[in-house]
Amino acid sequence: MSRVDLHTHSNASDGKFSPDAIVRMAAELGLKYLALTDHDTVAGIPAAQEAAHAYPELTFIPGVEISTDTTEGEVHMLGYFIDINDTEFTRAVERFRDSRQGRAKGMIAKLAKMGMNIDWARVQELAGDGVIGRPHIARAMMEKGYITTFEEAFDRYIGHGGPAYVERDKMTPAEAVELILCANGLPVLAHPFTVTDPEKLVKELKVAGLTGLEAYYKDASPNDTKNMLQLAQRYGLIVTGGSDYHGAGENNEVKLGGVNIPIKVPEKLIALAGERGKIK
Ligand code: AMP
Ligand code: ZN
Ligand code: FE
Ligand code: FE
């Protein structure tokens, strides 16, 4: 059990628990540092910050995980210490969220053509106030009995390039770096060992202002972590880490705080944010 988790999702995007519930769970588990990094939204941050006031031994770090696309597939960009009131940032994420509605409807239409009838209203209900994502569609498919495991939805239908897949509005990783910097945040490449050529991307993004790599992650092997630590060192980047907790018990997920992360990791992140004047 680690005392650090810098990658978590709440029901502000596609996680199960509310932001305040995640903060409470983290505190009860004895975590010292927690970041909330919902997909393409910072809507959960105020509630999490508010909840964190009750736990002085827990340092809460505001974050976001922006979905981007490259010709080789999806790339996720974490942003820490974002100014959640930055107008350019909030406009960009709102536009993104709106486009996700149309995209989800597109996937439902494709599923319908394949004989699977998913109610749009049910998907919206499952998403609640959160950003609509493929997990909500997968859950609706499960309810209707079209699939027997959550994974099956992705493997057979809505995985990247699958027969019912529809792409999101496109943003490049460099654009996400720029957006995060412009909102006074620190951009960190999420799970970089999952991209085809991490070094090529890191080299490119370093020029754009990338500040870190996520080296500790639920799916990272010790060797992946070692490679990412070395890559970060070569490019003068800090490292972060987290469980990518969603709370739904899907994807055989690890628990909150379930990835072993040295306490130095959040300390360095906070120090860098302080140096760059990102903490108010
Ligand atoms: P979206 O943001 O709508 O593209 O959905 C992305 C989310 O779907 C990810 O954050 C994961 O939670 C989930 N996801 C994507 N691919 C898979 C997969 N192959 N198996 C299970 N879950 C997945
Ligand atoms: Zn997710
Ligand atoms: Fe991710
Ligand atoms: Fe994530």
Side-chain angles (χ1 to χ4, degrees), residues 19-37:
D20 51 300
I22 293 193
V23 168
R24 195 179 337 114
M25 287 155 64
E28 281 165 7
L29 286 166
L31 264 63
K32 207 162 178 288
Y33 295 95
L34 170 76
L36 180 66
T37 54

Side-chain angles (χ1 to χ4, degrees), residues 213-234:
L213 298 182
E214 189 177 47
Y216 303 90
Y217 186 72
K218 64 164 168 126
D219 297 329
S221 67
N223 200 44
D224 289 331
T225 296
K226 192 180 107 208
N227 289 338
M228 293 309 113
L229 291 172
Q230 287 173 348
L231 188 58
Q233 192 152 34
R234 280 205 295 283

Side-chain angles (χ1 to χ4, degrees), residues 7 9 39 65 244 246:
H7 188 157
H9 296 274
H39 298 286
E65 182 178 22
D244 207 354
H246 281 73

